[in-house]
Amino acid sequence: MAANYNNTRSNRSTIASPDSAVTDDELKPILAYLDDDPIVAERFTVCLPDAEVPGGNGSIADAVTPKRLIDYMTGRPDTSGRVYSWGDADSDGDGLSDCDDREESGSPREVCETTEHFVAAVSGPTATGGSLEAIRTSDGTLVIVNSPPEADGGPATIRGSIEGGSDGPESSTEAIYQAGIADMGWSAASGGGGKSSPFIFDTLVSQVMAQPPGCPHAFPALLYVGRAESDGQLVYSGGWVIDDAALYEDAVTVLTMADAAHVVGVDLGAFDGDADGDELGDTVERSLSGERARRGARLDSGSVAALVKAGVLSAEGGRATHDHWVRKKPGRSAGSGGDEAVVLTHLALDAPVLHLVNAGRASNDVKFKAGAELSKSVN
């Protein structure tokens, strides 16, 4: 989870666009929540075995489509007790709620209503106003931004892809309208079927609504997810982040990919069961050296000039984002306050994902310690 940004939100101008998914009555209490100590983003990683059913009768890679994964991540139990996409409150058929079971080997709590993957209640893909658009800069960076709600409507879901070549990164985008979400698939380069790879080459981004605990109403957000392969497992990584353009004037959320996201396999066996030493941290640091580590997985907020100076955005990427926002915002012009007038909330989609591999031989205690060390290494 990501709490408030590295600068205050309380001095931002607010809007109540008639085209926004948030009404005037809902806006004031939402902004009061955001001015306190809010949750404005969450990340997740899900690993599943890259396995096939014998006899060519299907595979996990084929079964877990983007829509099914999103349904799984955003699902909530209904009145009949059904939970998520692939479970119910009585999965073993004993007539008792799994939450009341005492059989430890069955991991009953994995399908209970108390184990939502997000702390916030996140909707499935839904149009929240404006449109998602991807900007491709000459340095290869892919910039994904949502237009302000009062701009012309467009796709609420897009796929952004990036892959390195001899002349540098190349990017491409695909607009996916709501009717086509059920038919979406993963790219051949995203692991499991086709070219298996420890890189996330493309990411699906969709408009959603999110309501963290303590927030009186749901607000517009952007959901993103990509897939890779590591150590014989399918690694799905993504999250959601607040869509500032729907809530604040002169504010926009920007998602960027300067390169494919690397899934870094961290071998627990290399540390002889000692996850408390410095070797784990040193290995992670070596794996994450360079520009990717500097961009990181954190949430940054500031003016275009400030984010360019900090190395979070390239000069061209920052300018392209600013010009896009000015072009889409009615009544604005390129000379209306310059770069300093627009506050960007930035999230890198190509931040590395650390994957603890070969952990089956280790005890739960060792895996817990290793996970804690990984968390310290990337925070």
Side-chain angles (χ1 to χ4, degrees):
M1 292 179 292
N4 213 347
Y5 312 147
N6 51 348
N7 72 327
T8 180
R9 305 174 64 85
S10 60
N11 60 355
R12 301 188 188 186
S13 300
T14 61
I15 61 172
S17 169
D19 301 312
S20 174
V22 175
T23 67
D24 291 349
D25 291 338
E26 293 170 340
L27 184 62
K28 186 174 181 180
I30 288 174
L31 294 176
Y33 167 82
L34 294 174
D35 284 342
D36 189 14
D37 188 21
I39 295 172
V40 295
E42 293 182 84
R43 284 186 179 269
F44 71 84
T45 300
V46 174
C47 297
L48 296 173
D50 188 8
E52 296 184 2
V53 178
N57 292 315
S59 66
I60 292 178
D62 293 335
V64 184
T65 63
K67 183 180 186 303
R68 283 178 173 167
L69 181 69
I70 292 171
D71 288 345
Y72 177 75
M73 295 304 303
T74 60
R76 287 295 188 275
D78 59 22
T79 55
S80 68
R82 188 162 295 279
V83 186
Y84 309 137
S85 299
W86 310 315
D88 57 51
D90 182 22
S91 62
D92 57 5
D94 64 359
L96 299 174
S97 168
D98 285 342
C99 295
D100 297 327
D101 286 351
R102 298 294 181 264
E103 177 56 51
E104 294 297 329
S105 62
S107 301
R109 294 194 178 277
E110 292 180 2
V111 293
C112 293
E113 65 273 9
T114 58
T115 57
E116 291 91 349
H117 296 295
F118 288 133
V119 170
V122 181
S123 74
T126 183
T128 60
S131 63
L132 285 165
E133 187 170 341
I135 307 164
R136 288 171 284 179
T137 64
S138 62
D139 64 1
T141 300
L142 184 66
V143 180
I144 298 176
V145 59
N146 197 45
S147 299
E150 58 267 37
D152 293 337
T157 301
I158 64 173
R159 185 204 308 270
S161 302
I162 191 164
E163 186 169 0
S166 58
D167 297 326
E170 296 181 358
S171 59
S172 62
T173 59
E174 175 189 3
I176 302 169
Y177 290 82
Q178 293 302 104
I181 290 178
D183 299 324
M184 286 191 301
W186 305 101
S187 73
S190 62
K195 182 178 65 176
S196 297
S197 170
F199 290 91
I200 298 176
F201 288 98
D202 64 38
T203 300
L204 299 172
V205 180
S206 182
Q207 297 175 350
V208 295
M209 299 292 289
Q211 185 175 4
C215 187
H217 302 285
F219 52 74
L222 301 177
L223 179 74
Y224 57 95
V225 63
R227 186 183 75 169
E229 190 275 338
S230 174
D231 190 43
Q233 290 193 321
L234 299 166
V235 180
Y236 304 86
S237 185
W240 68 267
V241 59
I242 190 172
D243 178 15
D244 278 335
L247 300 169
Y248 297 91
E249 190 171 18
D250 297 339
V252 65
T253 298
V254 180
L255 311 177
T256 66
M257 292 181 72
D259 205 343
H262 188 191
V263 177
V264 181
V266 180
D267 189 348
L268 185 64
F271 309 105
D272 296 324
D274 179 15
D276 292 323
D278 296 332
E279 191 173 0
L280 180 58
D282 292 342
T283 299
V284 171
E285 186 174 350
R286 288 194 298 270
S287 300
L288 304 184
S289 61
E291 194 65 27
R292 287 194 188 98
R294 197 151 67 101
R295 282 162 56 84
R298 67 185 182 274
L299 210 57
D300 290 291
S301 185
S303 66
V304 172
L307 295 186
V308 170
K309 183 177 180 180
V312 174
L313 286 178
S314 67
E316 185 181 350
R319 167 55 60 185
T321 302
H322 175 267
D323 291 347
H324 169 88
W325 186 88
V326 168
R327 187 173 68 254
K328 295 291 185 178
K329 186 73 174 176
R332 299 286 297 181
S333 65
S336 301
D339 290 351
E340 297 297 326
V342 182
V343 178
L344 302 183
T345 296
H346 173 264
L347 187 70
L349 297 179
D350 52 5
V353 178
L354 304 184
H355 180 214
L356 192 62
V357 301
N358 296 331
R361 304 186 302 269
S363 67
N364 287 336
D365 183 57
V366 170
K367 284 187 280 189
F368 176 81
K369 290 178 181 179
E373 289 296 315
L374 289 178
S375 296
K376 288 193 298 183
S377 298
V378 297
N379 286 338

